[in-house]
């Protein structure tokens, strides 16, 4: 059985241990009960969602996912063309912004969901992303991600999502050079994030800025409460769970 990551808590110095989950949910087209069970078992403070519902009655679907996962909707969905952020009631939302990225004709519209959240005296910028399948567009989006993360105006931030790129790719490398790659910094759980039975790839990741302490990061396969059948039924990606310590400011 996989040992759990550190639980959410506030330290005596005002720093906060925050659990961040990144999950591509394929527009909730699969088993939504299994999806909610996986999310609840991860006990996240923040969920960076990719491929959130974004068409007919998407707000209702987002609210249902938040409710069944015992979380609240923060921002994103159709307004960010897929990326979305959910949080626990532990987080205070200071501000949000959804950003649509420049679009290449013939390719999908992409965007970022962003928020600044406060956990007591600790403030954390959050960015959820789903980058392009096309290398040249994806690399430009990686540069925009770093710019947007810096523009949040907080010293500590995380970016998480489906990169459509592997660690040896140039966009993944761009982000890993500028930020801490959670798995590479403090590996925990399973590395590869592609669907069970598919070719092994790590294309989903959680990154953190300098000053954020990564306490562990990886796919929570084997974590108590997470059944392999639910991981298979929930969506076509595996989730990435990280625990980070955010200093007080």
């Amino acid at each position: 059985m996989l040992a759990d990551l550190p639980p959410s808590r506030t330290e005596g110095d005002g720093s906060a241990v925050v659990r961040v989950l990144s999950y591509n949910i394929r527009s909730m087209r699969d088993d939504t009960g299994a999806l909610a069970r996986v999310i609840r078992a991860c006990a996240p403070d923040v969920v960076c969602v990719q491929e959130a519902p974004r068409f007919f009655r998407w707000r209702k679907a987002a609210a249902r996912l938040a409710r069944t996962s015992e979380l609240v909707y923060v921002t994103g969905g159709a307004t960010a063309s897929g990326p979305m952020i959910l949080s626990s009631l532990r987080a205070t939302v200071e501000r949000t912004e959804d950003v649509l990225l420049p679009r290449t004709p013939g390719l999908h519209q992409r965007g970022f969901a962003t928020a600044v959240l406060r956990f007591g005296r600790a403030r954390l910028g959050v960015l959820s992303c789903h980058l392009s399948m096309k290398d040249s567009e994806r690399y430009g989006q990686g540069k925009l991600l770093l710019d947007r993360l810096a523009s949040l105006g907080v010293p500590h931030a995380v970016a998480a999502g489906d990169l459509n790129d592997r660690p040896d790719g140039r966009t993944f490398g761009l982000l890993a050079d500028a930020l801490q790659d959670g798995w590479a910094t403090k590996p925990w759980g399973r590395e590869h994030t592609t669907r069970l039975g598919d070719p092994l790839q790590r294309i989903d990741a959680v990154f953190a800025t300098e000053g954020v302490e990564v306490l562990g990061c990886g796919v929570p396969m084997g974590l108590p409460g997470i059944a392999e059948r639910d991981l298979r039924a929930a969506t076509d990606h595996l989730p990435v769970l990280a625990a980070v310590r955010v200093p007080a400011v």
Side-chain angles (χ1 to χ4, degrees):
M1 189 70 71
L2 182 64
D4 201 355
L5 292 172
S8 305
R9 63 176 181 262
T10 299
E11 308 282 19
D13 61 359
S15 63
V17 175
V18 177
R19 291 167 70 107
V20 179
L21 183 69
S22 181
Y23 211 173
N24 184 319
I25 65 171
R26 201 162 76 140
S27 299
M28 297 173 64
R29 295 200 300 266
D30 301 289
D31 186 333
T32 55
L35 179 64
R37 286 193 294 272
V38 170
I39 294 174
R40 288 197 306 268
C42 290
D45 298 294
V46 182
V47 183
C48 291
V49 174
Q50 301 85 49
E51 292 194 36
R54 57 192 179 94
F55 296 112
F56 183 64
R57 293 183 177 174
W58 70 270
R59 293 183 187 277
K60 184 175 182 179
R64 183 173 74 251
L65 177 63
R67 183 178 64 255
T68 57
S69 302
E70 300 177 357
L71 300 167
V72 295
Y73 170 83
V74 175
T75 195
T79 50
S81 198
M84 183 171 73
I85 298 173
L86 306 177
S87 79
S88 70
L89 291 174
R90 182 180 178 224
T92 298
V93 180
E94 290 194 359
R95 65 179 187 272
T96 66
E97 184 178 8
D98 297 328
V99 181
L100 294 179
L101 302 179
R103 182 180 180 182
T104 300
L107 298 181
H108 292 298
Q109 176 70 64
R110 303 282 178 172
F112 300 145
T114 72
V116 175
L117 306 177
R118 181 163 46 81
F119 300 87
R121 291 165 46 207
R123 298 172 71 223
L124 182 67
V126 179
L127 186 152
S128 178
C129 67
H130 187 186
L131 303 187
S132 176
M133 296 285 291
K134 184 176 176 62
D135 177 69
S136 58
E137 185 181 49
R138 180 170 62 242
Y139 190 70
Q141 291 169 352
K143 292 180 177 179
L144 292 173
L145 185 157
L146 295 175
D147 290 344
R148 180 60 56 173
L149 211 60
S151 74
L152 292 178
V154 290
H156 306 113
V158 293
D162 178 354
L163 305 184
N164 277 315
D165 202 20
R166 298 183 298 272
D168 60 354
R170 65 172 187 155
T171 302
F172 202 120
L174 172 75
L175 300 180
D177 285 345
L179 305 167
Q180 300 179 79
D181 172 8
W183 167 263
T185 303
K186 191 76 171 181
W188 167 89
R190 185 181 193 266
E191 176 181 5
H192 301 106
T193 66
T194 42
R195 178 170 46 191
L196 295 169
D198 286 353
L200 296 177
Q201 298 183 83
R202 183 162 73 93
I203 59 174
D204 306 81
V206 177
F207 294 94
T209 57
E210 185 179 356
V212 174
E213 182 183 0
V214 179
L215 304 174
C217 179
V219 174
M221 184 175 291
L223 192 68
I226 296 182
E228 184 174 320
R229 63 179 178 275
D230 281 346
L231 289 173
R232 291 181 181 276
T235 179
D236 62 345
H237 281 243
L238 296 176
V240 180
L241 178 62
V244 299
R245 180 178 286 112
V246 183
V249 292

